[in-house]
Amino acid sequence: MRNIVYSLRVSEIITETKHAKTIRFDVPAELKEEFFWKPGQHITIELDVNGERVRRPFTISATPSHGNALQITVKSNPDGIVSKFLCTKVKVGHQLNVMPPFGGFTLEPLKDRQRTLYFFAGGSGITPAVAMIEAALEREPRSKLFLLYANRTADDIIFKEQLELLAERFPSQLEVRHILSKPSLWSMFSPWKSGRITKDVALEYLSECRPVAQDTQYFICGPGTMNADVREALRNCDVPTDRIHAESFGGNLDMPKDVASVPALLKLDYYGEAIELEVAKGQSIMNAVRAAGLEPPYSCQSGICGTCRAQIKSGAVNMKARMALEDSEVAKGAILTCQSYAKTAELSISFK
Amino acid sequence: MSTHSNGMPVLPKEAYTSQEWFDREQAEIFSKTWSLAGFQEDITEPGQYISVQAGLNNIFIVMGRDHRLRAFHNICRHRGTQLLRAEGKTQKAITCPYHDWTYDLKGNLISVPEQEKEFPGIDLSCNGLKKASVDIWRGMLWVHPDENAPSIINWFGEVEPYLAPYDPAGLIETEEGYSKHEIKANWKIIVENYIDGYHLSHLHSHTLNMYDHSKIECEFIGPHFAFWEPLADFYAAEVEKVTPMPLIPGIPKDKMGAWVPMLFPGIGLGESENSWSTFHITPIAPDRSMVEIRTRVANESTWAFTKAAMASASLWDKHLGAKFNAGPKVDPMSSGDFMQEDIYACEQQQKSLQSPFFEHGPSSKHGEKPVRDHQRVVAEWVERKP
Ligand code: FES
Ligand code: FES
Ligand SMILES: [Fe+2]
């Protein structure tokens, strides 16, 4: 994927909760194809913050069908420059720099299948889940969907009404349950449970929400540590690993602070162009490439989105984080350049 | 295969009598299709299992702690001993009775007695149980011997629109509706009887007359036979009042009637306005088959059933009876039970097939077309090149 940024007009802004907004974009006819997405994919927003270019991925929070606008739903995060800007500064009519949809955490509806699809979403992690749920309800009529949605309080539930409407429209197909970690005593809303998704909660959930279709798939879309927790809980209930799909969203990720590295000579195959450059000790491959004046694609810069992916041809790197890659892809030489540091003094890497 | 022209049976006589045909059908049909293994409610707890024979394969289904079903070939990877019998509940592991090799519920081989001494260097991970496929459709459990079987929707999806417009999973099983019959006839004779529209108003003139046999709609959808007929007028007029059992909710008034498909191979359903049953034919020998019938009815109180039975009794006394008026003990044709009538017809037909004087007679143009179509489906499957 080349690194192309388009300027799109903000067409609508919807307030979802106190801290979350949905931003819709106009996509001109000639870009429709470029901006076609799969449920679960994200777009990258690029901002200029005090002369520095900052990019962040945001999941598209709608399903790609008839007439649905391209939209993201953003929860303002106190330390997130981009999310704060999007939630407070952006107005209808503004132009924003956007990179086309991307990402491998997707659900492709299978029309002539019956499946049981479990979604475990936390906070703003509902964004890919809701896009996938809508798509499956529309195009996988025999499948049953279970959503377990974790939030702090009832007021933090994004898409609360939309989910209720969906459950009403598809009563035999969708079942939504809520779990709140800090339910307010005064709230009228009573969740299925309070607390967190532990092994016992997962066991209870799976025994109450039993699969009819035996092709079960489990999607985890949580912020921070929720993914690891739910994955662990599911594994403890003997859910096979190859049925669990996860993507991390926002929040703090436990990442090693530093990885070992050496200064290296990097031979680059940059979309067919041969370039040689130097990588300093402690410098990521991504930063070295950008320092050389090139424009490689990137977005989250934290190993989640996979936008900066490249292929290693010789030599080796150490990767800090690599959530966006499957083990099998790593075995075949895929790397995330934003997370990679030289391990050998000579390296060759190709961008395609 | 056969030189019979249109209107004549497609399969030769040997198809109903020879061991060779029987073996070919076992290998090519019953071991390569989705088999009915039971009802969804047969397995409800983690660790619970059932085992079933599906053609040449014995397969067991067990529920994991995630409440998902798994199916495995019921064969120990050591010397092939059958691991589990019939049905039951296991804790966390399955131990072979012969030499105690032990597998977990995911099919992994987890222990081999005296491993170091007797099997130095064995890789346990290469000796896990062989996987099969399992799924639930219309409230029934289905197994397929192939781990990567085509999806069950692929197999049944096209016939679905021709089935009753309610979900059988919402009904409850009745003990009175259970029966098992060993019938001295080839499985195809029983299928042919089930799908033969020509016999309904003759053999069953006094038993199945609550349906209007003149308005039958039936056809083969792929390998499956679909069949529907409406209620007879006298019954339709006041069905809510005179149904002998509570009506199953969800059937539009103009569709009230009986859906009686025969799914391939040999799995009949009887889906009506007030009961739902499976009619599962399992071949045992060229001239012997087992038929197991299980029935579900509307999930209503005992009182609702009593009330319906009482309110409708006088009407049914008038309309139902036996074809000949001898006592049921003497003549099955006077039992007043259509199942007995059918079994009798099938067994007599099988007997005659042994006679050197037997010759296939002409086959009726409309009523018996399904019979010829089914024979064609069977012929196609047994002749299939791998
Ligand atoms: S930029 Fe997102 S993984 Fe590297
Ligand atoms: S045959 Fe099963 S342990 Fe030997
Ligand atoms: Fe009959």
Side-chain angles (χ1 to χ4, degrees):
Chain A
M1 188 189 74
R2 296 235 47 170
N3 183 25
I4 309 173
V5 178
Y6 298 90
S7 171
L8 297 185
R9 180 180 169 276
V10 173
S11 62
E12 205 180 336
I13 297 176
I14 299 151
T15 303
E16 301 284 358
T17 67
K18 216 152 96 201
H19 304 292
K21 282 188 176 158
T22 291
I23 299 174
R24 293 199 169 138
F25 297 93
D26 270 339
V27 179
E30 67 273 17
L31 289 182
K32 280 261 152 45
E33 206 170 310
E34 187 95 354
F35 274 87
F36 187 78
W37 72 95
K38 293 184 187 153
Q41 286 193 313
H42 55 256
I43 50 176
T44 297
I45 307 279
E46 180 186 276
L47 294 181
D48 191 327
V49 179
N50 307 327
E52 226 217 293
R53 194 145 17 95
V54 192
R55 286 178 182 170
R56 287 289 176 273
F58 293 93
T59 310
I60 304 167
S61 57
T63 186
S65 66
H66 32 266
N68 272 356
L70 179 71
Q71 68 171 46
I72 55 175
T73 301
V74 186
K75 194 168 162 190
S76 160
N77 167 354
D79 332 304
I81 326 167
V82 182
S83 68
K84 214 158 82 192
F85 176 85
L86 291 174
C87 280
T88 56
K89 299 270 162 36
V90 171
K91 298 271 155 356
V92 171
H94 283 183
Q95 296 285 138
L96 286 179
N97 283 340
V98 184
M99 287 165 64
F102 189 77
F105 181 62
T106 60
L107 178 143
E108 307 238 16
L110 300 168
K111 209 165 154 292
D112 55 354
R113 286 281 198 90
Q114 58 169 17
R115 301 194 283 182
T116 307
L117 306 173
Y118 292 93
F119 297 89
F120 299 84
S124 58
I126 193 67
T127 49
V130 84
M132 293 179 182
I133 288 170
E134 282 191 336
L137 288 174
E138 252 172 50
R139 282 179 282 152
E140 217 173 287
R142 300 168 201 272
S143 293
K144 170 103 195 189
L145 288 69
F146 294 103
L147 167 65
L148 181 57
Y149 189 6
N151 279 287
R152 263 171 65 85
T153 72
D155 292 338
D156 295 313
I157 303 175
I158 305 174
F159 299 139
K160 190 148 154 271
E161 268 99 77
Q162 189 180 337
L163 289 167
E164 278 164 16
L165 285 177
L166 280 174
E168 259 167 50
R169 231 178 96 205
F170 300 93
S172 59
Q173 268 189 280
L174 174 63
E175 192 186 314
V176 181
R177 295 190 186 203
H178 294 275
I179 176 164
L180 298 179
S181 60
K182 296 246 164 7
S184 142
L185 286 177
W186 312 113
S187 168
M188 299 290 290
F189 182 84
S190 66
W192 172 63
K193 266 204 186 313
S194 36
R196 309 174 65 84
I197 304 176
T198 58
K199 174 191 159 198
D200 287 341
V201 170
L203 272 174
E204 192 177 336
Y205 184 70
L206 293 178
S207 80
E208 287 183 21
C209 301
R210 295 175 174 218
V212 169
Q214 299 298 308
D215 181 355
T216 57
Q217 303 292 337
Y218 308 79
F219 295 87
I220 317 177
C221 338
T225 55
M226 177 181 151
N227 281 9
D229 293 350
V230 175
R231 188 185 278 272
E232 187 56 27
L234 291 179
R235 276 206 208 143
N236 278 323
C237 307
D238 288 346
V239 172
T241 321
D242 60 351
R243 294 180 180 271
I244 305 178
H245 317 279
E247 179 163 74
S248 255
F249 269 81
N252 321 312
L253 295 158
D254 288 329
M255 269 196 273
K257 296 249 157 27
D258 279 304
V259 295
S261 70
V262 296
L265 177 69
L266 171 60
K267 290 193 179 132
L268 215 53
D269 170 0
Y270 193 74
Y271 302 99
E273 199 179 329
I275 297 168
E276 269 188 31
L277 50 95
E278 301 206 327
V279 189
K281 180 173 156 64
Q283 185 183 34
S284 71
I285 304 292
M286 164 66 58
N287 284 341
V289 174
R290 291 180 67 199
L294 298 171
E295 283 283 333
Y298 70 93
S299 178
C300 68
Q301 292 189 278
S302 48
I304 295 169
C305 71
T307 313
C308 65
R309 177 181 175 150
Q311 193 68 25
I312 189 150
K313 295 288 178 204
S314 69
V317 297
N318 284 322
M319 266 190 273
K320 255 195 200 171
R322 30 157 285 209
M323 273 81 77
L325 296 178
E326 301 281 335
D327 290 352
S328 59
E329 295 174 307
V330 174
K332 285 188 210 127
I335 61 166
L336 299 173
T337 52
C338 75
Q339 298 299 309
S340 299
Y341 297 82
K343 188 177 176 181
T344 52
E346 280 192 25
L347 275 177
S348 87
I349 288 173
S350 100
F351 279 91
K352 274 213 179 70
Chain B
M1 149 121 344
S2 163
T3 54
H4 287 304
S5 61
N6 199 13
M8 288 298 279
V10 178
L11 293 177
K13 179 168 127 176
E14 296 70 51
Y16 301 82
T17 55
S18 83
Q19 186 66 38
E20 195 210 324
W21 259 88
F22 180 85
D23 293 343
R24 249 155 70 200
E25 289 171 346
Q26 284 294 302
E28 299 304 319
I29 298 177
F30 291 90
S31 301
K32 292 186 178 168
T33 45
W34 283 95
S35 298
L36 176 59
F39 283 4
Q40 169 176 338
E41 55 270 32
D42 295 351
I43 306 182
T44 54
E45 293 300 319
Q48 212 182 337
Y49 64 83
I50 58 171
S51 64
V52 291
Q53 189 69 31
L56 303 174
N57 307 291
N58 195 274
I59 295 172
F60 73 87
I61 311 172
V62 62
M63 182 178 276
R65 289 204 301 156
D66 54 4
H67 289 86
R68 197 171 58 84
L69 301 170
R70 289 140 170 93
F72 299 101
H73 288 270
N74 197 359
I75 301 172
C76 178
R77 290 299 305 276
H78 177 218
R79 268 165 57 198
T81 306
Q82 182 168 311
L83 292 165
L84 296 174
R85 245 158 305 143
E87 52 197 72
K89 183 156 169 156
T90 144
Q91 286 315 311
K92 281 197 166 128
I94 300 159
T95 301
C96 176
Y98 202 168
H99 312 93
D100 283 347
W101 281 28
T102 299
Y103 305 84
D104 66 16
L105 296 187
K106 294 178 261 177
N108 303 312
L109 177 58
I110 48 175
S111 96
V112 169
E114 297 164 72
Q115 184 181 332
E116 246 96 281
K117 187 168 136 240
E118 296 290 359
F119 296 92
I122 190 179
D123 183 352
L124 298 190
S125 70
C126 298
N127 289 285
L129 296 179
K130 297 221 166 129
K131 292 183 179 150
S133 294
V134 55
D135 212 340
I136 293 175
W137 179 73
R138 273 183 106 64
M140 295 170 272
L141 296 172
W142 298 86
V143 290
H144 193 296
D146 185 351
E147 177 189 358
N148 300 308
S151 106
I152 194 144
I153 296 306
N154 226 295
W155 181 237
F156 289 130
E158 292 196 347
V159 76
E160 265 181 343
Y162 300 85
L163 305 181
Y166 54 74
D167 180 8
L171 310 175
I172 47 162
E173 187 168 11
T174 66
E175 246 174 79
E176 301 81 50
Y178 180 87
S179 60
K180 203 167 174 177
H181 313 259
E182 196 180 315
I183 301 177
K184 292 189 219 67
N186 183 274
W187 72 280
K188 297 188 293 299
I189 299 252
I190 305 171
V191 169
E192 291 173 6
N193 166 264
Y194 198 90
I195 65 182
D196 160 18
Y198 181 48
H199 86 294
L200 290 177
S201 40
H202 304 284
L203 181 59
H204 307 308
S205 54
H206 289 72
T207 41
L208 285 174
N209 58 10
M210 60 282 230
Y211 300 108
D212 186 346
H213 308 317
S214 69
K215 299 211 179 83
I216 290 173
E217 290 172 13
C218 67
E219 65 186 293
F220 265 84
I221 310 291
H224 311 297
F225 174 69
F227 175 106
W228 177 78
E229 58 181 354
L231 301 184
D233 288 340
F234 78 90
Y235 180 25
E238 40 180 1
V239 60
E240 290 89 355
K241 259 189 271 158
V242 299
T243 174
M245 286 189 286
L247 290 178
I248 295 174
I251 312 174
K253 191 119 206 295
D254 61 320
K255 285 302 276 175
M256 282 271 180
W259 290 259
V260 194
M262 173 52 74
L263 306 172
F264 192 69
I267 305 138
L269 301 181
E271 310 186 316
S272 82
E273 74 287 358
N274 55 22
S275 78
W276 182 91
S277 57
T278 53
F279 180 96
H280 186 193
I281 311 170
T282 308
I284 304 175
D287 59 355
R288 256 183 327 132
S289 308
M290 188 66 87
V291 171
E292 191 183 36
I293 298 174
R294 293 177 73 173
T295 305
R296 285 172 170 152
V297 293
N299 192 354
E300 302 273 357
S301 64
T302 324
W303 167 236
F305 278 89
T306 315
K307 207 173 73 181
M310 277 165 32
S312 60
S314 67
L315 177 90
W316 295 111
D317 276 351
K318 202 161 68 206
H319 282 277
L320 299 180
K323 184 162 177 155
F324 304 108
N325 278 328
K329 296 244 164 51
V330 214
D331 181 357
M333 282 302 177
S334 40
S335 65
D337 170 349
F338 71 90
M339 186 65 202
Q340 292 308 318
E341 296 170 340
D342 281 330
I343 292 178
Y344 179 78
C346 289
E347 291 190 340
Q348 294 311 312
Q349 193 188 341
Q350 183 74 36
K351 244 193 213 163
S352 304
L353 280 162
Q354 312 292 347
S355 159
F357 287 89
F358 176 86
E359 200 185 325
H360 275 299
S363 169
S364 87
K365 187 162 175 207
H366 304 291
E368 289 175 301
K369 179 172 184 294
V371 172
R372 296 189 299 278
D373 287 345
H374 183 258
Q375 295 179 348
R376 249 175 236 122
V377 173
V378 170
E380 195 185 295
W381 276 75
V382 295
E383 283 167 1
R384 237 171 226 212
K385 298 279 161 317

